[in-house]
Amino acid sequence: VFKIKAVQLAGKLLPAFNTPTGIPWAMVNLKSGVGRNWGWASAGSSILAEFGTLHMEFVHLSYLTGDPVYYNKVMHIRKLLQKMDRPNGLYPNYLNPRTGRWGQHHTSVGGLGDSFYEYLLKAWLMSDKMDTEARKMYDDAIEAIEKHLIRKSNGGLTFIGEWKNGHLERKMGHLTCFAGGMFALGADGSRDDKAGHYLQLGAEIAHTCHESYDRTTLKLGPEAFKFDGGVEAVAVRQNEKYYILRPEVIETYWYMWRFTHDPKYRQWGWEATQAIDKYCRVSGGFSGVKDVYSSSPTYDDVQQSFFLAETLKYLYLLFSNDDLLPLDNWVFNTEAHPLPVL
């Protein structure tokens, strides 16, 4: 029954790929099959993290059904990206599906970019490490990220900035905190025997993201935090001080725990659990809060779907044994749904 539903849904999504380049539209009308892009996205562009975060699901669907159409759609996207010139070896967040040219050269490992990089690594893992093309693209990408986006603050915190308007913005989003776990997950099998280096990098990102939580009143992390002047790992603008039950920091704690078994990751996870229970629990479930630096926070009255799918799942796994969903057999998609290694 679920396979039938998956095929029906995929069939409704396929018209989104009917563009001159094969890069799909962001949205598709399920009745008419007409696709379009977000108005705000760089002159009608598609978004890297959207069209680059289909690979695992579509490949798995081809495996389940024996129909190569889904696999072919996502491999076409990969081949096109491989051929393109990349500024500084980085993938910009916007690509025009009509012209096949990059939009504005904004690069991020946070929102708009994040899960594209994650899926390169996970395509390799999901293929039982046979998809070496995906691994090479991942290795090339993280080398460019490390060279151009990763910096150390004056206070010694490693952070991942964003490339915008020709310079590095010294700001890191909560979404970017997933990358600590990604670096740890990709350590084994990395180029030039740099496994230790990438595990260490994952630990440094985890530490920075923990600091963003620890430096708030509620011990919950803000949406984005700066590394400017005297301010480090702290949100400056009011519209970046909210916490909406996001999972990325917990996700990194879990991966770091699985690979190192350092008890501090469970300790940090427990701190976050207690803070969520204390400040986010409401009569009908859990709510985001508008200001993590306020001692009397106000609720946003929304329980995001990723709170159950990811935040609580990663916390549960953090305090479970390694034989529950072992990473040799399972790969998590970007919403923490496990897919089997084939």
Side-chain angles (χ1 to χ4, degrees):
V1 66
F2 294 116
K3 186 161 96 171
I4 291 165
K5 276 293 167 203
V7 170
Q8 284 175 345
L9 177 58
K12 289 291 191 184
L13 295 177
L14 286 178
F17 294 84
N18 293 339
T19 65
T21 59
I23 296 291
W25 299 108
M27 290 169 281
V28 62
N29 182 309
L30 297 179
K31 189 174 182 185
S32 67
V34 174
R36 66 185 180 93
N37 276 345
W38 302 104
W40 51 263
S42 185
S45 291
S46 298
I47 294 163
L48 182 67
E50 293 189 349
F51 66 78
T53 311
L54 305 167
H55 192 96
M56 295 176 70
E57 294 80 0
F58 276 55
V59 168
H60 189 67
L61 192 56
S62 278
Y63 165 76
L64 289 178
T65 60
D67 186 342
V69 63
Y70 315 111
Y71 172 88
N72 291 339
K73 294 291 185 196
V74 291
M75 285 306 289
H76 176 79
I77 294 172
R78 181 194 291 183
K79 297 290 184 206
L80 189 125
L81 288 172
Q82 254 181 324
K83 288 197 300 244
M84 292 186 64
D85 281 332
R86 297 191 293 283
N88 290 332
L90 297 166
Y91 292 85
N93 289 343
Y94 299 109
L95 181 60
N96 190 302
R98 286 198 172 94
T99 65
R101 286 200 279 272
W102 298 117
Q104 61 199 77
H105 287 188
H106 171 201
T107 297
S108 169
V109 185
L112 307 182
D114 47 14
S115 45
F116 164 69
Y117 304 101
E118 175 189 356
Y119 269 38
L120 291 175
L121 172 62
K122 289 179 174 179
W124 176 70
L125 291 169
M126 208 169 97
S127 72
D128 204 17
K129 306 183 179 176
M130 302 297 281
D131 185 354
T132 51
E133 180 182 76
R135 179 75 214 206
K136 182 188 183 300
M137 287 176 74
Y138 172 76
D139 288 332
D140 290 346
I142 61 168
E143 279 175 19
I145 286 165
E146 194 165 6
K147 185 174 178 185
H148 298 288
L149 304 182
I150 296 183
R151 297 287 181 269
K152 234 188 183 78
S153 72
N154 297 335
L157 296 176
T158 302
F159 67 94
I160 309 177
E162 305 209 348
W163 193 262
K164 244 179 181 168
N165 307 324
H167 75 279
L168 185 72
E169 199 173 15
R170 295 174 65 88
K171 178 172 103 176
M172 185 166 173
H174 191 290
L175 290 162
T176 316
C177 286
F178 93 96
M182 177 177 73
F183 291 139
L185 183 63
D188 192 27
S190 56
R191 222 175 250 167
D192 309 326
D193 214 21
K194 286 172 80 173
H197 167 75
Y198 286 115
L199 198 59
Q200 175 63 28
L201 185 57
E204 289 175 22
I205 299 294
H207 172 68
T208 298
C209 293
H210 177 256
E211 286 298 310
S212 79
Y213 275 51
D214 209 45
R215 296 177 187 193
T216 70
T217 307
L218 305 186
K219 304 299 178 195
L220 291 169
E223 179 69 4
F225 40 95
K226 283 258 171 39
F227 296 89
D228 272 343
V231 173
E232 299 204 350
V234 172
V236 180
R237 295 163 55 180
Q238 190 58 45
N239 67 352
E240 291 173 345
K241 293 181 178 180
Y242 61 87
Y243 172 69
I244 55 171
L245 308 168
R246 285 204 191 278
E248 291 77 20
V249 174
I250 313 288
E251 177 183 353
T252 280
Y253 293 167
W254 174 61
Y255 280 111
M256 293 309 302
W257 165 257
R258 278 282 174 103
F259 291 117
T260 70
H261 292 112
D262 186 328
K264 74 182 177 193
Y265 296 114
R266 280 187 165 173
Q267 181 56 44
W268 292 353
W270 181 234
E271 288 168 19
T273 304
Q274 289 178 296
I276 289 167
D277 196 50
K278 185 172 180 183
Y279 296 112
C280 300
R281 185 190 279 271
V282 291
S283 61
F286 290 81
S287 170
V289 288
K290 291 180 183 173
D291 187 344
V292 292
Y293 301 96
S294 163
S295 50
S296 54
T298 52
Y299 298 121
D300 65 10
D301 289 331
V302 177
Q303 179 177 299
Q304 305 280 347
S305 62
F306 50 68
F307 177 63
L308 298 177
E310 299 183 73
T311 312
L312 292 187
K313 188 184 290 168
Y314 284 128
L315 281 169
Y316 184 75
L317 287 165
L318 176 60
F319 295 100
S320 301
N321 293 333
D322 291 4
D323 60 3
L324 180 64
L325 295 170
L327 290 171
D328 289 341
N329 304 102
W330 298 95
V331 186
F332 287 77
N333 82 348
T334 193
E335 303 297 333
H337 304 307
L339 289 167
V341 171
L342 299 172

